[in-house]
Amino acid sequence: MPLSPKTRLGAYEVLGPLGAGGMGEVYRARDLRLGRDVAIKVLPADVASSPERLARFEREARTVAGLNHPNIVTLHSVEDEGSVRFLTMELVEGQTLSTLVAPDGLPLPKLLDLAIPLAEALVAAHEKGVIHRDLKPGNVMVTRDGRVKVLDFGLAKMVEQEAASHEATVAATEAPITGHGEIFGTAPYMAPEQLRGENADARSDLFALGIILYELASGRRPFSGGSPAEITSSILRDTPIALTRIRGDLPGELERIVSRCLEKSPRERFQTSLDVCNDLRRLRRAPDGVPPKAAPQALASIAVLPFLNMSKDPENEYFSDGLAEELLNVLSKMRGLRVAARSSAFTFRGQRVTVAEVGKALNVATVLEGSVRQAGNRVRIAVQLVNAADGYHLWAESYDRTLDDIFAVQDDIAQSVVKALRAKLLGEEADSSVSDAVRADVADAAKGRGHNAEAHRLYLQGRYFVDRHSEEDLARGREHLYAAISADPEHALAWAELSRVHALCAGYGWGPHAEGYAKAREAARRAISLEPDLVEGYAALAWVQLIHDYDYAGSEASFRRALDLAPGNAAVLGGAGWLLRGTGRLEEALALSRRAVENDPLSSAAHHNLAVTLYYMGRFKEAEAAFRKTLELAPQRAESRSNLAMVLLRLGREEEAMREATLEPAPAFGLCALAIVHHAMGNREASDRALRELEAKFANDGAYQVAEAYAARGEWDSAFAWLHRACDQIDGGLGYLLGDPLFTAARNDPRWEGVLTRLGLR
């Protein structure tokens, strides 16, 4: 029964009705003790007799009491008088937000003056674990002095905070306190999950916020209909008209914020109210409503981090790595998108770093991260795209699949991810043509993997071990690759990876030199014959042609073909740069080396190759900086300290050069550098000792370093003799010869042409 004026409830005298909320009737009353007007909410007698609704009322009181914020109504007390239960609240005088909606929308400054405090109120509530569930203009008051106040948390429920995981980024979740499928809220402002009777969480409030913002901006609701059923259908089905089509004076950034709030799937909305609030604040700070936030095209750079293996078996890491690699390969083929190289992105495996730190280190605007949880034949994969600048989630999704067909799992996820990224990063509309392009991109990236799922699994395991680069792991990787080829002789990627294994083992001295490179050449050619457009096949063949065969023309053709297929592949760029440097085309080599560093900024190899090129060009200060960066990334990298020592000698810093030569971890390069630095410092005896030790220990596999030491000492007869010996040994160091500053003085010697002829350079 409604309360009439003059009714007394303890120390309060009812002055008149204010309205009815979701959990009771609201009155204006006078606090006779303190002499102030307040609002009281009374639980109806029929509700008070219901233990369930009474419990909900008391929970509301505790909810509101925990929220102390200038944009949320203040709870004064919870009281009862006889059989009447009520609470007293701050009396807010003004008008509801619904009365401020203008037919053509509000000016942007006025809109933001209302939107930001509203978002701030949600931030305060969500951080306390409270969701509103019935946010609408009628529940938002604007006081006479312009302050926004959110009313009626009568449908809010305290929610249990759970530890955040890689899959859960929302601020609050809830378990229903009512029967399954019961719907709370006001239909025109409800999120799709609420209309379906599913659990609501903080993101449901953000959907309602998006509707309110749309209405304030345009003067109309984004979802309409002549009945609740039609409105519900519109919310579940329709995409609203873009705000900028309704009002051309609105900035695209406001449209982006509102559209993201109105995503049908909670995973695709903003994940926290703080994200929305921060974007609105930036929009208000920006001149002319254009915030200093990257446009889709500016966001078009990405790093794919190694996916987290959440399975109990650590050996399953090969699958999580393989999935991330496949996505990386697909993304690298998207025009207009720059993708950080795998070798840089995967350096963050197991490290506790923020997305912002990853973005800064790799010079990318976005980061794709994910996790894989495998149990028996089932796998759950969670993927999220994050803005590196502010940590906002641009998109997230999870997939539950069986592993009956590993190809179907990878392709399904790759297509979903690429379609989302094309929309989020490149601003493309999702239509049938995009879907066809995505399928084509995924199919293109899948070339070379054959048709046997078990063979592909063995290939992924093999690559996982090969990437560890130890002698033992290379051997394990080789076993898995041979097993993959045995299961599927047409698995071109396995053949290309096998070529890489044989070349690495031969180069490191962990297998027969000539035989190893012969097997590497054969495997690379087999890969290309199986898949003529396989980047990995051409890259592997180019390396054998460069390092072992001295087939510079063939190597250049192979590298050129690989770059045609994958222009941003950092490994191919680096190898091609090495080739150009070795053939004396230093400007071209520098351009490719810089591109390799840009795409692979945490690769010590990329920085080393850039540093060597700068050294050969006589740009010693820049070379020093590049070598310092190399050693920062990999302090024990072979050749870098010995090369840095040569640079420091050119800069006249002999003591520093000696220190670097002494610290060189590779003995052959270290002894060569010591012989050269001691000679430069006038320590003839020490130089002789280092050179004799170099000859004694590395005559059979370090002839080029011996030749360099003699060249630095000006002993050209010995230098040329050792160069010919290096040719006999097919020494990989000869790839440096044409640009090597230590041999500058030899280029006028008639014997120089003879060496170049042997190398096929004449």
Side-chain angles (χ1 to χ4, degrees), residues 69-74 90 92-98 100 106 109-122 124 132 135-151 153 209 212-213 216 284:
H69 190 271
N71 299 119
I72 299 177
V73 66
T74 302
E90 170 189 8
V92 180
E93 297 188 284
Q95 53 189 329
T96 65
L97 199 58
S98 57
L100 296 178
L106 298 175
K110 177 63 175 175
L111 186 154
L112 293 175
D113 285 344
L114 298 171
I116 292 172
L118 179 53
E120 289 173 341
L122 290 180
H132 194 291
L135 188 65
K136 57 187 177 183
N139 276 337
V140 181
M141 293 288 294
V142 181
T143 66
R144 291 169 182 170
D145 61 356
R147 184 180 295 278
V148 172
K149 289 278 190 178
V150 179
L151 310 175
F153 273 84
L209 176 62
I212 293 172
L213 297 180
L216 292 174
R284 181 164 64 180

Side-chain angles (χ1 to χ4, degrees), residues 440-462:
D441 284 345
V442 172
D444 189 49
K447 287 180 178 178
R449 71 184 183 189
H451 305 286
N452 185 303
E454 175 61 15
H456 193 61
R457 184 186 68 81
L458 289 165
Y459 158 74
L460 291 176
Q461 287 181 314

Side-chain angles (χ1 to χ4, degrees), residues 29 60 150 215 315 319 327 331 333 458 493 532 544 559 562 591 602 655 730 758-759:
E60 176 193 4
V150 179
E215 191 171 359
E315 291 292 329
F319 178 72
L327 290 174
L331 295 176
K333 292 179 170 58
L458 289 165
L493 282 170
V544 176
F559 275 129
L602 297 186
E655 294 295 337
I730 315 179
R758 288 197 63 182
L759 294 176

Side-chain angles (χ1 to χ4, degrees), residues 18 34 46 99 290 366 414 426 584 688:
L18 290 174
L34 299 177
D46 60 332
T99 65
V290 181
T366 57
L426 303 181
D688 288 345

Side-chain angles (χ1 to χ4, degrees), residues 16 21 136 159 255 258 341-342 344 423 534 537 540 542 654 695:
K136 57 187 177 183
V159 297
E255 180 181 303
V258 173
R342 176 187 183 277
S344 281
L534 191 66
E654 295 175 344
E695 289 179 321

Side-chain angles (χ1 to χ4, degrees), residues 438-754:
V438 168
R439 281 191 290 271
D441 284 345
V442 172
D444 189 49
K447 287 180 178 178
R449 71 184 183 189
H451 305 286
N452 185 303
E454 175 61 15
H456 193 61
R457 184 186 68 81
L458 289 165
Y459 158 74
L460 291 176
Q461 287 181 314
R463 172 154 186 170
Y464 172 72
F465 288 118
V466 172
D467 281 341
R468 294 181 175 183
H469 271 228
S470 73
E471 183 175 6
E472 179 183 355
D473 284 318
L474 283 173
R476 293 182 68 184
R478 184 171 53 218
E479 290 177 7
H480 280 89
L481 292 169
Y482 271 121
I485 290 168
S486 177
D488 181 6
E490 296 186 356
H491 198 296
L493 282 170
W495 282 106
E497 191 67 11
L498 189 61
S499 173
R500 190 163 76 105
V501 173
H502 285 307
L504 286 170
C505 289
Y508 288 145
W510 294 333
H513 188 84
E515 180 183 344
Y517 277 112
K519 289 182 177 179
R521 186 188 309 104
E522 179 185 357
R525 293 194 182 282
R526 181 66 181 274
I528 294 170
S529 69
L530 291 169
E531 180 47 68
D533 292 334
L534 191 66
V535 174
E536 292 84 354
Y538 286 104
L541 178 61
W543 194 248
V544 176
Q545 292 169 320
L546 172 62
I547 296 299
H548 184 270
D549 298 351
Y550 304 146
D551 179 6
Y552 296 104
S555 180
E556 182 171 355
S558 297
F559 275 129
R560 185 182 298 114
R561 178 59 175 151
L563 286 174
D564 286 342
L565 294 168
N569 187 302
V572 177
L573 287 168
W578 182 316
L579 166 68
L580 292 171
R581 184 180 66 231
T583 53
R585 295 150 65 183
L586 297 181
E587 289 292 344
E588 295 174 74
L590 180 62
L592 289 186
S593 297
R594 290 198 188 283
R595 284 176 57 194
V597 167
E598 180 183 3
N599 289 357
D600 204 358
L602 297 186
S603 166
S604 64
H607 285 279
H608 175 88
N609 286 337
L610 172 61
V612 172
T613 302
L614 290 166
Y615 164 45
Y616 283 16
M617 296 177 76
R619 297 164 67 165
F620 302 123
K621 280 288 188 181
E622 294 173 78
E624 180 189 0
F627 277 126
R628 299 285 186 199
K629 181 62 177 179
T630 302
L631 293 168
E632 175 188 325
L633 294 168
Q636 294 303 307
R637 181 177 178 82
E639 297 186 64
S640 293
R641 292 192 184 277
S642 56
N643 276 285
L644 177 56
M646 300 301 100
V647 170
L648 292 171
L649 277 183
R650 298 296 179 123
L651 293 172
R653 291 149 60 185
E654 295 175 344
E655 294 295 337
E656 292 179 64
M658 179 61 72
R659 178 180 179 276
E660 296 299 336
T662 304
L663 292 174
E664 168 61 53
F669 297 103
L671 288 169
C672 176
L674 285 172
I676 294 171
V677 175
H678 277 302
H679 176 77
M681 296 177 72
N683 302 327
R684 177 73 187 200
E685 186 176 344
S687 177
D688 288 345
R689 282 198 305 270
L691 183 50
R692 284 195 298 269
E693 185 177 355
L694 177 63
E695 289 179 321
K697 292 182 176 179
F698 298 101
N700 296 322
D701 53 9
Y704 185 78
Q705 280 68 47
V706 179
E708 280 189 308
Y710 277 117
R713 288 160 52 117
E715 299 173 27
W716 291 108
D717 289 344
S718 296
F720 276 108
W722 281 96
L723 280 178
H724 281 287
R725 189 164 180 173
C727 291
D728 294 338
Q729 296 172 358
I730 315 179
D731 192 315
L734 289 165
Y736 292 96
L737 182 62
L738 268 187
D740 193 337
L742 293 171
F743 290 99
T744 299
R747 290 164 192 163
N748 294 322
D749 191 301
R751 292 170 291 185
W752 180 249
E753 291 298 318

Side-chain angles (χ1 to χ4, degrees), residues 38-253:
V38 297
I40 63 173
K41 179 180 283 190
V42 179
L43 191 66
D46 60 332
V47 176
S49 62
S50 166
E52 179 185 352
R53 299 194 70 179
L54 180 59
R56 194 180 307 149
F57 175 81
E58 293 174 345
R59 182 153 50 249
E60 176 193 4
R62 291 194 296 271
T63 298
V64 178
L67 303 178
N68 181 18
H69 190 271
N71 299 119
I72 299 177
V73 66
T74 302
L75 170 67
H76 295 318
S77 64
V78 179
E79 304 186 28
D80 61 77
E81 180 68 21
S83 61
V84 179
R85 294 176 181 270
F86 64 96
L87 53 82
T88 68
M89 298 175 291
E90 170 189 8
L91 178 65
V92 180
E93 297 188 284
Q95 53 189 329
T96 65
L97 199 58
S98 57
T99 65
L100 296 178
V101 176
D104 296 321
L106 298 175
L108 182 63
K110 177 63 175 175
L111 186 154
L112 293 175
D113 285 344
L114 298 171
I116 292 172
L118 179 53
E120 289 173 341
L122 290 180
V123 172
H126 292 169
E127 287 180 347
K128 290 285 188 179
V130 179
I131 56 176
H132 194 291
R133 297 205 311 160
D134 193 25
L135 188 65
K136 57 187 177 183
N139 276 337
V140 181
M141 293 288 294
V142 181
T143 66
R144 291 169 182 170
D145 61 356
R147 184 180 295 278
V148 172
K149 289 278 190 178
V150 179
L151 310 175
D152 196 4
F153 273 84
L155 298 182
K157 294 192 286 187
M158 294 298 290
V159 297
E160 196 172 307
Q161 295 287 353
E162 295 182 351
S165 70
H166 63 283
E167 300 169 344
T169 56
V170 296
T173 58
E174 67 163 354
I177 63 171
T178 60
H180 178 70
E182 184 173 347
I183 297 176
F184 291 97
T186 305
Y189 299 92
M190 292 175 66
E193 61 270 19
Q194 289 177 284
L195 293 171
R196 291 191 292 264
E198 300 168 357
N199 292 344
D201 60 29
R203 298 169 296 182
S204 305
D205 282 351
L206 300 186
F207 190 90
L209 176 62
I211 295 177
I212 293 172
L213 297 180
Y214 190 103
E215 191 171 359
L216 292 174
S218 66
R220 65 175 85 170
R221 293 174 184 164
F223 308 106
S224 60
S227 66
E230 290 178 357
I231 293 172
T232 296
S233 177
S234 179
I235 291 173
L236 294 173
R237 179 196 64 223
D238 296 341
T239 300
I241 299 172
L243 281 175
T244 52
R245 289 182 58 189
I246 299 173
R247 280 183 58 186
D249 62 318
L250 290 176
E253 178 66 5

